[in-house]
Amino acid sequence: SSELTQDPAVSVALGQTVRITCQGDSLRSYYASWYQQKPGQAPVLVIYGKNNRPSGIPDRFSGSSSGNTASLTITGAQAEDEADYYCNSRDSSGNLVVFGGGTKLTVL
Amino acid sequence: EVQLVQSGAEVKKPGESLKISCKGSGYSFTSYWIGWVRQMPGKGLEWMGIIYPGDSDTRYSPSFQGQVTISADKSISTAYLQWSSLKASDTAMYYCVRHDSSGSDVDYWGQGTLVTVSS
């Protein structure tokens, strides 16, 4: 079992805003990063640190954190955003890394 | 351009050994942690462990400790993941990844190596 918990599936209407969450005790001390994975492809980093986007990631992706919960928000979801999303961070010891179980995002 | 290029797909039998590789280029290989991530068919990402090629400091997830060995040869900028005795349950896609300066964020992913273990 993962030390980071995500909802297995979330859906959003095209053009609407969706929030994907990640819960874990270690998130009180460390930021989460977020990855998008489409079928048959390697994951891609979309958010890291407090709220940073790598080059090429649209600004509709944003990150936030409060207490033991990190969130990835997609403002104005597009059809191409349909994918699996994973959070990761350090584990509760701070020495290792852990991924959340993943959230499947469906854009309706 | 940073690249992580992994070795090709493997088909092995239970009990066989295997070593897969990941060659880094376009950056200082000894200055970043390299990790391995497992993805079983239809399942999520599992972090297996990391190595710092600069001094070979290696750490494993408790789930993978004793099950695999992570190593690196800094002279050829290559990291490895090896098994001494494969099981059918090792069938998965394995990604090598580069952790950025945070030590946890993954900024680059290899293309993945599919390992199939079947009798």
Short mmCIF file of all heavy atoms in Angstrom, two decimals, chain A residues 31-33 35 37 41-45 48-49 86 88-90 94-101, chain B residues 37 39 43-47 50 59-62 95 99-100 102-107 109-111:
data_model
loop_
_atom_site.label_atom_id
_atom_site.label_comp_id
_atom_site.label_asym_id
_atom_site.label_seq_id
_atom_site.Cartn_x
_atom_site.Cartn_y
_atom_site.Cartn_z
N TYR A 31 6.84 18.91 -0.41
CA TYR A 31 5.94 19.15 -1.54
C TYR A 31 5.73 17.85 -2.33
O TYR A 31 6.59 16.99 -2.35
CB TYR A 31 6.52 20.21 -2.48
CG TYR A 31 6.52 21.60 -1.93
CD1 TYR A 31 7.72 22.29 -1.72
CD2 TYR A 31 5.32 22.24 -1.60
CE1 TYR A 31 7.72 23.57 -1.21
CE2 TYR A 31 5.32 23.53 -1.08
CZ TYR A 31 6.52 24.18 -0.89
OH TYR A 31 6.53 25.46 -0.38
N ALA A 32 4.58 17.79 -2.99
CA ALA A 32 4.34 16.71 -3.94
C ALA A 32 4.67 17.20 -5.34
O ALA A 32 4.62 18.39 -5.62
CB ALA A 32 2.88 16.26 -3.89
N SER A 33 5.03 16.27 -6.20
CA SER A 33 5.10 16.58 -7.61
C SER A 33 4.05 15.71 -8.32
O SER A 33 3.55 14.73 -7.74
CB SER A 33 6.50 16.33 -8.19
OG SER A 33 6.93 15.03 -7.90
N TYR A 35 2.55 13.88 -12.06
CA TYR A 35 2.93 13.30 -13.35
C TYR A 35 1.68 12.90 -14.11
O TYR A 35 0.72 12.39 -13.53
CB TYR A 35 3.83 12.07 -13.15
CG TYR A 35 5.01 12.38 -12.27
CD1 TYR A 35 4.90 12.31 -10.90
CD2 TYR A 35 6.21 12.80 -12.83
CE1 TYR A 35 5.95 12.64 -10.08
CE2 TYR A 35 7.28 13.14 -12.02
CZ TYR A 35 7.13 13.06 -10.65
OH TYR A 35 8.19 13.41 -9.85
N GLN A 37 0.33 10.50 -17.20
CA GLN A 37 0.69 9.35 -18.03
C GLN A 37 -0.48 9.00 -18.95
O GLN A 37 -1.57 8.69 -18.48
CB GLN A 37 1.07 8.13 -17.20
CG GLN A 37 1.60 6.98 -18.05
CD GLN A 37 1.99 5.76 -17.25
OE1 GLN A 37 1.38 5.44 -16.25
NE2 GLN A 37 3.03 5.05 -17.71
N GLN A 41 2.59 5.38 -22.90
CA GLN A 41 3.67 6.37 -22.83
C GLN A 41 4.28 6.41 -21.42
O GLN A 41 3.64 6.02 -20.45
CB GLN A 41 3.14 7.77 -23.18
CG GLN A 41 2.60 7.88 -24.59
CD GLN A 41 2.14 9.30 -24.90
OE1 GLN A 41 2.51 10.27 -24.22
NE2 GLN A 41 1.34 9.44 -25.94
N ALA A 42 5.51 6.89 -21.35
CA ALA A 42 6.13 7.15 -20.06
C ALA A 42 5.47 8.36 -19.41
O ALA A 42 4.97 9.25 -20.11
CB ALA A 42 7.63 7.38 -20.22
N PRO A 43 5.46 8.40 -18.10
CA PRO A 43 4.90 9.59 -17.42
C PRO A 43 5.68 10.85 -17.76
O PRO A 43 6.85 10.81 -18.16
CB PRO A 43 5.04 9.23 -15.94
CG PRO A 43 5.10 7.74 -15.90
CD PRO A 43 5.86 7.37 -17.15
N VAL A 44 5.00 11.98 -17.56
CA VAL A 44 5.61 13.29 -17.79
C VAL A 44 5.35 14.16 -16.57
O VAL A 44 4.23 14.19 -16.04
CB VAL A 44 4.98 13.97 -19.03
CG1 VAL A 44 5.45 15.42 -19.17
CG2 VAL A 44 5.29 13.18 -20.30
N LEU A 45 6.39 14.85 -16.11
CA LEU A 45 6.25 15.76 -14.97
C LEU A 45 5.42 16.97 -15.38
O LEU A 45 5.73 17.61 -16.40
CB LEU A 45 7.63 16.20 -14.50
CG LEU A 45 7.73 17.17 -13.34
CD1 LEU A 45 7.23 16.54 -12.05
CD2 LEU A 45 9.17 17.67 -13.18
N TYR A 48 5.89 20.57 -10.05
CA TYR A 48 6.88 20.22 -9.03
C TYR A 48 7.06 21.41 -8.10
O TYR A 48 6.74 22.55 -8.42
CB TYR A 48 8.21 19.78 -9.65
CG TYR A 48 8.95 20.88 -10.38
CD1 TYR A 48 9.97 21.60 -9.76
CD2 TYR A 48 8.62 21.21 -11.70
CE1 TYR A 48 10.64 22.60 -10.43
CE2 TYR A 48 9.28 22.21 -12.38
CZ TYR A 48 10.31 22.90 -11.75
OH TYR A 48 10.98 23.90 -12.42
N GLY A 49 7.57 21.09 -6.90
CA GLY A 49 7.80 22.14 -5.92
C GLY A 49 6.50 22.77 -5.44
O GLY A 49 5.44 22.15 -5.44
N TYR A 86 -0.40 10.88 -11.31
CA TYR A 86 0.25 10.35 -10.12
C TYR A 86 0.93 11.48 -9.36
O TYR A 86 1.56 12.35 -9.96
CB TYR A 86 1.31 9.30 -10.49
CG TYR A 86 0.77 8.07 -11.16
CD1 TYR A 86 0.66 8.01 -12.55
CD2 TYR A 86 0.38 6.96 -10.42
CE1 TYR A 86 0.16 6.87 -13.18
CE2 TYR A 86 -0.13 5.82 -11.05
CZ TYR A 86 -0.23 5.80 -12.42
OH TYR A 86 -0.73 4.67 -13.04
N ASN A 88 3.87 12.22 -6.29
CA ASN A 88 4.95 11.58 -5.55
C ASN A 88 5.59 12.57 -4.60
O ASN A 88 5.44 13.79 -4.75
CB ASN A 88 5.97 10.88 -6.47
CG ASN A 88 7.18 11.72 -6.83
OD1 ASN A 88 7.07 12.93 -7.03
ND2 ASN A 88 8.33 11.09 -6.94
N SER A 89 6.24 12.04 -3.61
CA SER A 89 6.94 12.86 -2.64
C SER A 89 7.86 11.95 -1.84
O SER A 89 7.99 10.76 -2.15
CB SER A 89 5.94 13.56 -1.70
OG SER A 89 6.62 14.47 -0.85
N ARG A 90 8.46 12.48 -0.83
CA ARG A 90 9.24 11.64 0.07
C ARG A 90 8.30 10.85 0.97
O ARG A 90 7.15 11.24 1.18
CB ARG A 90 10.19 12.50 0.91
CG ARG A 90 11.29 13.12 0.05
CD ARG A 90 12.28 13.86 0.92
NE ARG A 90 13.33 14.45 0.11
CZ ARG A 90 14.46 13.82 -0.21
NH1 ARG A 90 14.68 12.59 0.21
NH2 ARG A 90 15.37 14.43 -0.95
N GLY A 94 11.43 10.52 5.17
CA GLY A 94 12.16 11.55 4.45
C GLY A 94 13.32 11.02 3.63
O GLY A 94 13.94 11.77 2.87
N ASN A 95 13.63 9.73 3.78
CA ASN A 95 14.79 9.18 3.10
C ASN A 95 14.47 8.49 1.78
O ASN A 95 15.37 8.29 0.96
CB ASN A 95 15.48 8.15 4.01
CG ASN A 95 16.08 8.80 5.24
OD1 ASN A 95 16.65 9.87 5.16
ND2 ASN A 95 15.95 8.13 6.38
N LEU A 96 13.23 8.10 1.61
CA LEU A 96 12.84 7.38 0.41
C LEU A 96 11.77 8.16 -0.33
O LEU A 96 11.35 9.23 0.11
CB LEU A 96 12.33 5.99 0.78
CG LEU A 96 13.30 5.11 1.57
CD1 LEU A 96 12.62 3.79 1.94
CD2 LEU A 96 14.58 4.86 0.79
N VAL A 97 11.35 7.63 -1.46
CA VAL A 97 10.36 8.29 -2.31
C VAL A 97 9.17 7.35 -2.47
O VAL A 97 9.32 6.12 -2.44
CB VAL A 97 10.99 8.62 -3.68
CG1 VAL A 97 9.95 9.22 -4.64
CG2 VAL A 97 12.16 9.58 -3.51
N VAL A 98 8.01 7.92 -2.65
CA VAL A 98 6.81 7.09 -2.82
C VAL A 98 5.89 7.75 -3.84
O VAL A 98 5.86 8.99 -3.94
CB VAL A 98 6.10 6.88 -1.47
CG1 VAL A 98 5.60 8.19 -0.90
CG2 VAL A 98 4.99 5.87 -1.59
N PHE A 99 5.17 6.93 -4.58
CA PHE A 99 4.15 7.41 -5.50
C PHE A 99 2.77 7.14 -4.92
O PHE A 99 2.57 6.15 -4.19
CB PHE A 99 4.23 6.68 -6.85
CG PHE A 99 5.31 7.18 -7.76
CD1 PHE A 99 6.56 6.57 -7.79
CD2 PHE A 99 5.09 8.27 -8.60
CE1 PHE A 99 7.56 7.03 -8.62
CE2 PHE A 99 6.09 8.73 -9.45
CZ PHE A 99 7.34 8.12 -9.45
N GLY A 100 1.83 8.00 -5.26
CA GLY A 100 0.44 7.72 -4.98
C GLY A 100 -0.08 6.64 -5.91
O GLY A 100 0.58 6.29 -6.90
N GLY A 101 -1.26 6.13 -5.61
CA GLY A 101 -1.82 5.04 -6.40
C GLY A 101 -2.32 5.45 -7.78
O GLY A 101 -2.59 4.58 -8.61
N VAL B 37 11.55 2.66 -11.39
CA VAL B 37 10.12 2.66 -11.11
C VAL B 37 9.48 1.48 -11.85
O VAL B 37 9.73 1.29 -13.04
CB VAL B 37 9.47 3.98 -11.57
CG1 VAL B 37 7.95 3.94 -11.37
CG2 VAL B 37 10.07 5.16 -10.82
N GLN B 39 6.06 -0.57 -13.16
CA GLN B 39 4.65 -0.48 -13.49
C GLN B 39 4.19 -1.82 -14.01
O GLN B 39 4.48 -2.20 -15.15
CB GLN B 39 4.37 0.63 -14.49
CG GLN B 39 2.87 0.88 -14.69
CD GLN B 39 2.57 2.18 -15.42
OE1 GLN B 39 3.28 2.57 -16.35
NE2 GLN B 39 1.53 2.87 -15.00
N LYS B 43 -1.44 -1.37 -13.90
CA LYS B 43 -1.34 -0.88 -12.53
C LYS B 43 -0.58 0.45 -12.45
O LYS B 43 -0.16 1.00 -13.46
CB LYS B 43 -0.62 -1.93 -11.66
CG LYS B 43 -1.33 -3.28 -11.63
CD LYS B 43 -2.73 -3.19 -11.06
CE LYS B 43 -3.37 -4.56 -10.95
NZ LYS B 43 -4.78 -4.48 -10.45
N GLY B 44 -0.40 0.92 -11.23
CA GLY B 44 0.22 2.21 -11.00
C GLY B 44 1.74 2.15 -10.92
O GLY B 44 2.36 1.10 -11.10
N LEU B 45 2.33 3.31 -10.63
CA LEU B 45 3.77 3.44 -10.54
C LEU B 45 4.25 3.07 -9.13
O LEU B 45 3.64 3.47 -8.14
CB LEU B 45 4.19 4.88 -10.83
CG LEU B 45 3.72 5.46 -12.16
CD1 LEU B 45 4.10 6.94 -12.25
CD2 LEU B 45 4.30 4.69 -13.33
N GLU B 46 5.32 2.31 -9.07
CA GLU B 46 5.90 1.91 -7.78
C GLU B 46 7.39 2.28 -7.78
O GLU B 46 8.14 1.82 -8.63
CB GLU B 46 5.77 0.40 -7.58
CG GLU B 46 4.36 -0.13 -7.54
CD GLU B 46 4.36 -1.64 -7.47
OE1 GLU B 46 4.39 -2.29 -8.55
OE2 GLU B 46 4.33 -2.19 -6.35
N TRP B 47 7.77 3.08 -6.82
CA TRP B 47 9.17 3.48 -6.70
C TRP B 47 9.96 2.36 -6.06
O TRP B 47 9.61 1.87 -4.98
CB TRP B 47 9.25 4.74 -5.85
CG TRP B 47 10.58 5.37 -5.78
CD1 TRP B 47 11.14 6.23 -6.69
CD2 TRP B 47 11.53 5.22 -4.72
NE1 TRP B 47 12.39 6.61 -6.25
CE2 TRP B 47 12.65 6.00 -5.05
CE3 TRP B 47 11.55 4.49 -3.53
CZ2 TRP B 47 13.77 6.08 -4.23
CZ3 TRP B 47 12.66 4.58 -2.71
CH2 TRP B 47 13.76 5.37 -3.08
N ILE B 50 16.86 4.03 -5.46
CA ILE B 50 17.69 5.00 -6.14
C ILE B 50 19.17 4.77 -5.86
O ILE B 50 19.52 4.14 -4.87
CB ILE B 50 17.37 6.45 -5.73
CG1 ILE B 50 17.31 6.58 -4.20
CG2 ILE B 50 16.11 6.95 -6.38
CD1 ILE B 50 17.12 7.99 -3.71
N ARG B 59 19.61 3.31 -2.06
CA ARG B 59 18.49 3.16 -1.12
C ARG B 59 17.38 2.40 -1.81
O ARG B 59 17.13 2.61 -2.99
CB ARG B 59 18.01 4.54 -0.65
CG ARG B 59 19.12 5.36 -0.02
CD ARG B 59 18.69 6.77 0.30
NE ARG B 59 19.85 7.57 0.70
CZ ARG B 59 19.79 8.85 1.08
NH1 ARG B 59 18.62 9.47 1.09
NH2 ARG B 59 20.87 9.48 1.42
N TYR B 60 16.70 1.55 -1.05
CA TYR B 60 15.63 0.73 -1.60
C TYR B 60 14.32 0.96 -0.87
O TYR B 60 14.29 1.15 0.35
CB TYR B 60 15.98 -0.75 -1.49
CG TYR B 60 17.18 -1.19 -2.30
CD1 TYR B 60 18.45 -1.18 -1.75
CD2 TYR B 60 17.03 -1.62 -3.62
CE1 TYR B 60 19.56 -1.59 -2.49
CE2 TYR B 60 18.11 -2.05 -4.36
CZ TYR B 60 19.38 -2.02 -3.79
OH TYR B 60 20.47 -2.43 -4.53
N SER B 61 13.23 0.89 -1.61
CA SER B 61 11.93 0.80 -0.99
C SER B 61 11.87 -0.50 -0.21
O SER B 61 12.38 -1.53 -0.68
CB SER B 61 10.84 0.81 -2.07
OG SER B 61 9.63 0.32 -1.55
N PRO B 62 11.24 -0.49 0.96
CA PRO B 62 11.12 -1.75 1.72
C PRO B 62 10.47 -2.87 0.89
O PRO B 62 10.79 -4.05 1.09
CB PRO B 62 10.22 -1.36 2.89
CG PRO B 62 10.46 0.10 3.09
CD PRO B 62 10.67 0.65 1.71
N TYR B 95 10.94 1.61 -15.55
CA TYR B 95 11.45 2.91 -16.00
C TYR B 95 12.65 3.32 -15.15
O TYR B 95 12.60 3.21 -13.92
CB TYR B 95 10.39 3.99 -15.85
CG TYR B 95 9.18 3.85 -16.74
CD1 TYR B 95 7.98 3.34 -16.25
CD2 TYR B 95 9.22 4.25 -18.07
CE1 TYR B 95 6.86 3.22 -17.05
CE2 TYR B 95 8.10 4.14 -18.89
CZ TYR B 95 6.93 3.62 -18.38
OH TYR B 95 5.82 3.51 -19.18
N HIS B 99 16.14 11.88 -10.71
CA HIS B 99 15.57 12.75 -9.69
C HIS B 99 16.29 14.08 -9.73
O HIS B 99 17.51 14.15 -9.85
CB HIS B 99 15.73 12.12 -8.31
CG HIS B 99 14.84 10.95 -8.07
ND1 HIS B 99 13.54 11.10 -7.63
CD2 HIS B 99 15.03 9.62 -8.21
CE1 HIS B 99 12.98 9.90 -7.51
NE2 HIS B 99 13.86 8.99 -7.86
N ASP B 100 15.51 15.16 -9.64
CA ASP B 100 16.14 16.48 -9.68
C ASP B 100 16.76 16.80 -8.32
O ASP B 100 16.89 15.94 -7.46
CB ASP B 100 15.13 17.54 -10.13
CG ASP B 100 14.08 17.85 -9.08
OD1 ASP B 100 14.14 17.29 -7.96
OD2 ASP B 100 13.18 18.66 -9.38
N SER B 102 15.77 18.16 -5.79
CA SER B 102 14.94 17.93 -4.60
C SER B 102 15.16 16.53 -4.04
O SER B 102 14.87 16.26 -2.88
CB SER B 102 13.46 18.10 -4.94
OG SER B 102 12.97 16.99 -5.67
N GLY B 103 15.61 15.62 -4.89
CA GLY B 103 15.81 14.24 -4.48
C GLY B 103 14.58 13.38 -4.62
O GLY B 103 14.67 12.15 -4.55
N SER B 104 13.42 14.00 -4.82
CA SER B 104 12.20 13.20 -4.95
C SER B 104 11.51 13.43 -6.29
O SER B 104 10.99 12.49 -6.89
CB SER B 104 11.21 13.48 -3.82
OG SER B 104 10.84 14.85 -3.81
N ASP B 105 11.52 14.67 -6.78
CA ASP B 105 10.87 14.94 -8.06
C ASP B 105 11.63 14.26 -9.19
O ASP B 105 12.85 14.27 -9.22
CB ASP B 105 10.84 16.45 -8.35
CG ASP B 105 10.05 17.22 -7.31
OD1 ASP B 105 9.27 16.59 -6.56
OD2 ASP B 105 10.23 18.44 -7.25
N VAL B 106 10.86 13.68 -10.13
CA VAL B 106 11.47 13.04 -11.29
C VAL B 106 11.34 13.97 -12.47
O VAL B 106 10.22 14.26 -12.92
CB VAL B 106 10.77 11.70 -11.60
CG1 VAL B 106 11.28 11.13 -12.92
CG2 VAL B 106 10.99 10.72 -10.47
N ASP B 107 12.48 14.46 -12.99
CA ASP B 107 12.38 15.40 -14.10
C ASP B 107 12.59 14.74 -15.46
O ASP B 107 12.17 15.31 -16.48
CB ASP B 107 13.30 16.62 -13.91
CG ASP B 107 14.77 16.25 -13.69
OD1 ASP B 107 15.11 15.04 -13.70
OD2 ASP B 107 15.56 17.19 -13.51
N TRP B 109 12.45 10.78 -17.58
CA TRP B 109 12.12 9.37 -17.57
C TRP B 109 12.77 8.69 -18.77
O TRP B 109 12.83 9.26 -19.86
CB TRP B 109 10.61 9.17 -17.69
CG TRP B 109 9.83 9.69 -16.53
CD1 TRP B 109 9.60 11.01 -16.21
CD2 TRP B 109 9.15 8.92 -15.54
NE1 TRP B 109 8.84 11.09 -15.07
CE2 TRP B 109 8.54 9.83 -14.64
CE3 TRP B 109 9.00 7.55 -15.32
CZ2 TRP B 109 7.80 9.41 -13.53
CZ3 TRP B 109 8.24 7.12 -14.23
CH2 TRP B 109 7.67 8.05 -13.34
N GLY B 110 13.25 7.45 -18.57
CA GLY B 110 13.65 6.65 -19.70
C GLY B 110 12.42 6.17 -20.44
O GLY B 110 11.29 6.39 -20.01
N GLN B 111 12.65 5.50 -21.57
CA GLN B 111 11.52 5.05 -22.39
C GLN B 111 10.86 3.78 -21.84
O GLN B 111 9.79 3.40 -22.29
CB GLN B 111 11.97 4.81 -23.85
CG GLN B 111 12.60 3.46 -24.14
CD GLN B 111 14.09 3.39 -23.82
OE1 GLN B 111 14.62 4.19 -23.04
NE2 GLN B 111 14.77 2.41 -24.43
#
